Amino acid sequence: MATGANITADDVAAEAGVSRWTVTRAFRKDASISAKSRAKVMQAAERLGYVPDLRAASLASDRSNLVALLVDDFANPHKLVMMERLTRVMRRKGWDTLLVNTLDKADTGPALLNASQRRVDAVILIGLQFDDDVLAAAQHARRFSKLIVFARSSQKPDTISIAVDDVQAMRDIAAYVDAQGYRRPFFVAGPRTSSAHLLRKETFIDYWQQTHGLRPDCVNVAAYDPALSGAVVETALKDRARADLPDVLVCENDALAIGAIDTLRHRLGLRVPGDIAVTGFDDIPQADSLNYQLTTYRQPLDEMADYLVEVLDSREDRDMNRLFRGAIVRRDSA
Amino acid sequence: MATGANITADDVAAEAGVSRWTVTRAFRKDASISAKSRAKVMQAAERLGYVPDLRAASLASDRSNLVALLVDDFANPHKLVMMERLTRVMRRKGWDTLLVNTLDKADTGPALLNASQRRVDAVILIGLQFDDDVLAAAQHARRFSKLIVFARSSQKPDTISIAVDDVQAMRDIAAYVDAQGYRRPFFVAGPRTSSAHLLRKETFIDYWQQTHGLRPDCVNVAAYDPALSGAVVETALKDRARADLPDVLVCENDALAIGAIDTLRHRLGLRVPGDIAVTGFDDIPQADSLNYQLTTYRQPLDEMADYLVEVLDSREDRDMNRLFRGAIVRRDSA
DNA sequence: TTGTAAGCGTTATCAC
DNA sequence: GTGATAACGCTTACAA
């Protein structure tokens, strides 16, 4: 076990009969080194089982090639999709990922401190509890140069936001629902309270007021949790007369939508989309299942991830916020 | 931004009027240091915005307090549950997590190398493609002392396996299904091929042969993917006469079970559990949804995670494999 | 193209 | 209880 522990570049240098610095060079793609030297070094390294120590490299160069990924809400399946995509793209480009589970809202500060101690080059936030005020309060712990908010828009200065254009997206959804002929929309919103979070809901309501002069009903669910969403929807709808029921539930994301569908079908005895249509947001894998066939909105995650590594690589200091445009994924639910 | 970059222990020492080593001591829980000195140091550190550099600490002490988590199958929702649990428990105990997305089967070696370069104290494998042969081939890249296989049993020496007792678990499930009166069982297995992976399937078949003298039908699904599972089940059952259909589908895990349920209901027009019952394994969040109410088997993840950190903390070299016993979670699907 | 020497910010060891 | 000093393994000038 632990084959050849503590083999250093010096050992390899001795074995290959060169200097330590030449060993280092051999391990870099760019480097002015003769093919012969490199071969000699590589063979010696192989023989000895040398593995460069990135801690030391990072300490000396002040670049860690490490990025902290702060995640708070592991209940939403979309998190898994994002984590897969981000770690895949980053690893391909030479960035390692420090996964930090932000235990609860109060833990944001400690989590950032954690990342700082590892001297990560950047911190990526994917989550919902990272309100701008939380971020502001936690900023003093910063010892990294880039704070990136992924898949959520943020107004905070000193922060790079890579997200879908919520206003555009929700207008697309509203227009789609409208075009399908639904006239009694009902919005199922998530737990967000700060202004940056209300964009989807507000956009949807605005659209409806402007085009049809009516204000859609809304409910707020305290977490992006399907079961909770179902409970809230049930409470809101169970005592309504059939004629008073909405004809479409527009949900802030798929997790809420799926919980809503389950409740409509299994608690309220309604058909989806027969009696009530439902839309989501995110296009999680489940949305494509036979059972849900959820009409939803897909963010261009690949593009967003590619841009993310571009940001990581960049040394620029200009504004790097970027909004992307996704597309409706039309299925049977609406 | 990057408030007070490069504040080191020396700076704090100067500010507080003590030596660097005293600063270090102040930051440890155990330490022979006077309360007065500590207070002085902490104030100075606060004033300067000092954040200890864990890279340097790790380099000097040869303990990184970093653990690599290798994940290969992001399609299974259970992965999200495990990641949450592990990162939560580890973080509470002072262990940071390096998340490595094992891109494909051939990437196992490079992924381990990646971890080695960061000098992680241990590597945890949660995934299915980590066959024992892959592990063996990749071992030469080891530069960490502990290789832990989590939630999957492994026969490999030099490896610590923390898992549920598959034989015991599958016997429990088989006995349950038997006691419920089902007599035409059908097993839906995952993609695993090596012997360590076949435990659940073999145990189930053995049980049935010994107790009823019959060999249940089986299908293999090439990935733990609900859609794929559904397709395989559909192919296997669609041409059968009603009387030839199984009365229960015992699935190797919940992902397969959920895909199977969708297909039974939406493709084959069967009721679950009315016409065919279904069982799963893992108890993923979805299993408890109104739509599935899946009878499944829960692994004692908290206990397992607690034991994991115990293993991480341990300096012992004895055999640390451990099998846990879970419990059936009885719901409506069987 | 290659080598030398001085850091990088801690911890460990040993004195005091 | 506290303080020097030598590692730890690499990178970065700069010199050869």
Side-chain angles (χ1 to χ4, degrees):
Chain A
M1 195 151 320
T3 324
N6 296 335
I7 301 292
T8 76
D10 278 328
D11 299 324
V12 177
E15 171 88 6
V18 298
S19 74
R20 183 194 330 154
W21 180 217
T22 301
V23 173
T24 299
R25 269 186 299 232
F27 275 89
R28 302 200 182 179
K29 32 199 163 264
D30 61 323
S32 53
I33 182 175
S34 68
K36 198 170 134 195
S37 292
R38 170 170 272 154
K40 235 180 359 183
V41 169
M42 289 320 234
Q43 280 167 26
E46 176 69 22
R47 216 152 41 227
L48 265 34
Y50 168 67
V51 176
D53 187 330
L54 254 40
R55 298 171 306 184
S58 159
L59 186 59
S61 69
D62 210 35
R63 282 194 86 235
S64 62
N65 279 298
L66 226 205
V67 173
L69 188 62
L70 267 61
V71 183
D72 64 355
D73 171 25
F74 285 80
N76 187 344
H78 193 49
K79 285 288 154 58
L80 195 52
V81 175
M82 289 200 285
M83 288 169 71
E84 199 284 327
R85 216 61 66 90
L86 292 182
T87 52
R88 167 177 300 271
V89 173
M90 294 197 325
R91 191 155 128 63
R92 287 232 174 92
K93 300 283 189 177
W95 295 94
D96 286 342
T97 306
L98 185 73
L99 176 62
V100 184
N101 181 347
T102 304
L103 274 18
D104 55 56
K105 190 155 178 165
D107 191 46
T108 310
L112 279 172
L113 185 62
N114 212 216
S116 293
Q117 291 180 297
R118 297 276 175 197
R119 295 297 190 269
V120 297
D121 290 328
V123 170
I124 303 174
L125 267 28
I126 54 172
L128 51 101
Q129 77 195 180
F130 302 117
D131 291 313
D132 286 351
D133 52 337
V134 173
L135 293 186
Q139 290 254 2
H140 81 277
R142 288 182 66 159
R143 197 129 286 98
F144 43 86
S145 52
K146 286 167 187 158
L147 185 56
I148 302 172
V149 178
F150 191 83
R152 209 212 80 196
S153 51
S154 161
Q155 323 294 356
K156 183 99 188 48
D158 297 351
T159 269
I160 300 169
S161 159
I162 300 177
V164 88
D165 183 342
D166 278 327
V167 172
Q168 184 64 259
M170 198 38 89
R171 277 202 195 121
D172 288 349
I173 293 175
Y176 173 82
V177 165
D178 190 1
Q180 294 300 108
Y182 299 108
R183 287 297 173 269
R184 299 192 306 280
F186 183 102
F187 196 87
V188 180
R192 299 166 170 186
T193 48
S194 79
S195 67
H197 295 144
L198 293 172
L199 230 38
R200 292 188 193 164
K201 175 175 166 181
E202 285 173 352
T203 302
F204 186 79
I205 291 177
D206 286 353
Y207 175 96
W208 226 259
Q209 280 188 319
Q210 283 163 25
T211 55
H212 294 85
L214 66 86
R215 188 186 166 79
D217 282 338
C218 285
V219 287
N220 269 83
V221 182
Y224 291 113
D225 177 55
L228 198 56
S229 167
V232 170
V233 167
E234 183 179 2
T235 302
L237 301 184
K238 67 168 187 249
D239 295 325
R240 295 202 187 184
R242 193 76 175 225
D244 291 336
L245 286 176
D247 56 3
V248 61
L249 262 46
V250 174
C251 304
E252 197 183 301
N253 73 17
D254 289 352
L256 299 178
I258 278 170
I261 291 177
D262 281 356
T263 285
L264 292 176
R265 288 178 176 163
H266 300 284
R267 291 288 201 189
L268 304 177
L270 297 164
R271 288 165 306 140
V272 175
D275 296 314
I276 300 188
V278 175
T279 68
F281 202 109
D282 282 345
D283 194 25
I284 62 177
Q286 251 186 97
D288 194 31
S289 72
L290 290 175
N291 189 64
Y292 296 104
Q293 281 299 303
L294 183 64
T295 291
T296 183
Y297 192 89
R298 181 178 343 187
Q299 312 185 39
L301 271 192
D302 285 323
E303 269 180 71
M304 289 162 68
D306 286 342
Y307 179 65
L308 172 67
V309 298
E310 213 177 283
V311 169
L312 292 178
D313 284 323
S314 154
R315 303 274 299 120
E316 296 188 51
D317 219 19
R318 60 185 170 76
D319 178 27
M320 301 203 88
N321 291 336
R322 184 114 122 207
L323 287 183
F324 290 79
R325 180 159 189 183
I328 288 184
V329 179
R330 186 176 171 176
R331 298 205 181 88
D332 300 337
S333 75
Chain B
M1 197 151 316
T3 325
N6 297 333
I7 300 294
T8 76
D10 277 327
D11 299 324
V12 177
E15 171 87 7
V18 298
S19 73
R20 171 172 10 129
W21 181 219
T22 299
V23 172
T24 298
R25 268 186 298 235
F27 275 89
R28 301 201 182 179
K29 32 200 164 266
D30 61 323
S32 52
I33 182 176
S34 68
K36 199 170 138 196
S37 294
R38 169 170 273 154
K40 240 187 344 190
V41 170
M42 290 319 236
Q43 279 168 27
E46 175 70 21
R47 215 151 42 228
L48 265 34
Y50 169 66
V51 177
D53 188 330
L54 254 39
R55 298 171 305 183
S58 160
L59 185 59
S61 69
D62 210 35
R63 283 194 87 236
S64 62
N65 279 298
L66 225 204
V67 173
L69 189 62
L70 266 62
V71 183
D72 64 355
D73 169 26
F74 284 81
N76 186 344
H78 193 49
K79 285 288 153 59
L80 195 52
V81 175
M82 289 200 285
M83 289 168 71
E84 199 285 326
R85 216 61 66 89
L86 292 183
T87 52
R88 167 176 299 271
V89 172
M90 293 195 328
R91 191 156 127 64
R92 286 232 173 92
K93 300 285 189 174
W95 294 94
D96 286 342
T97 305
L98 185 73
L99 177 62
V100 184
N101 181 348
T102 304
L103 274 16
D104 54 57
K105 189 155 177 165
D107 191 47
T108 310
L112 280 171
L113 185 62
N114 211 215
S116 293
Q117 292 181 173
R118 296 276 176 198
R119 295 297 190 270
V120 298
D121 291 328
V123 170
I124 304 174
L125 266 28
I126 53 174
L128 50 103
Q129 77 195 181
F130 302 117
D131 291 314
D132 286 351
D133 52 338
V134 173
L135 293 186
Q139 290 256 1
H140 82 277
R142 288 182 67 159
R143 197 127 288 98
F144 43 84
S145 53
K146 286 167 187 157
L147 184 56
I148 302 172
V149 179
F150 191 83
R152 206 211 82 195
S153 52
S154 160
Q155 323 294 355
K156 182 100 188 49
D158 297 350
T159 269
I160 300 168
S161 158
I162 300 176
V164 89
D165 183 341
D166 277 327
V167 172
Q168 183 64 261
M170 199 38 87
R171 277 202 196 122
D172 288 351
I173 294 174
Y176 173 82
V177 165
D178 190 2
Q180 294 300 110
Y182 298 109
R183 287 297 173 269
R184 298 191 307 280
F186 184 102
F187 195 87
V188 180
R192 300 166 170 186
T193 49
S194 77
S195 66
H197 296 144
L198 294 172
L199 231 38
R200 291 187 195 166
K201 177 175 165 181
E202 284 174 352
T203 303
F204 186 77
I205 291 177
D206 287 352
Y207 175 96
W208 226 258
Q209 278 188 321
Q210 282 164 25
T211 55
H212 295 84
L214 66 86
R215 188 185 166 80
D217 282 338
C218 285
V219 287
N220 269 84
V221 183
Y224 291 113
D225 177 55
L228 199 55
S229 168
V232 169
V233 167
E234 182 179 4
T235 303
L237 301 184
K238 68 169 186 246
D239 294 326
R240 294 201 186 185
R242 193 76 175 226
D244 292 335
L245 286 175
D247 55 4
V248 62
L249 263 45
V250 174
C251 304
E252 197 183 302
N253 73 17
D254 290 353
L256 299 178
I258 279 170
I261 291 177
D262 282 357
T263 285
L264 292 176
R265 288 178 175 162
H266 300 284
R267 290 290 201 184
L268 303 177
L270 297 165
R271 288 164 305 143
V272 176
D275 297 314
I276 300 187
V278 176
T279 68
F281 201 109
D282 281 345
D283 194 26
I284 61 177
Q286 251 187 96
D288 193 33
S289 72
L290 290 175
N291 189 63
Y292 295 104
Q293 281 298 303
L294 183 63
T295 291
T296 183
Y297 192 90
R298 179 178 347 191
Q299 311 184 38
L301 271 192
D302 286 323
E303 270 180 69
M304 289 163 66
D306 286 343
Y307 179 64
L308 172 67
V309 297
E310 214 177 283
V311 168
L312 291 177
D313 285 324
S314 155
R315 303 275 299 120
E316 296 188 52
D317 219 19
R318 61 185 169 75
D319 177 30
M320 301 203 89
N321 291 337
R322 184 114 122 206
L323 287 183
F324 290 79
R325 181 160 189 180
I328 288 184
V329 179
R330 187 176 171 174
R331 299 205 180 88
D332 299 336
S333 76

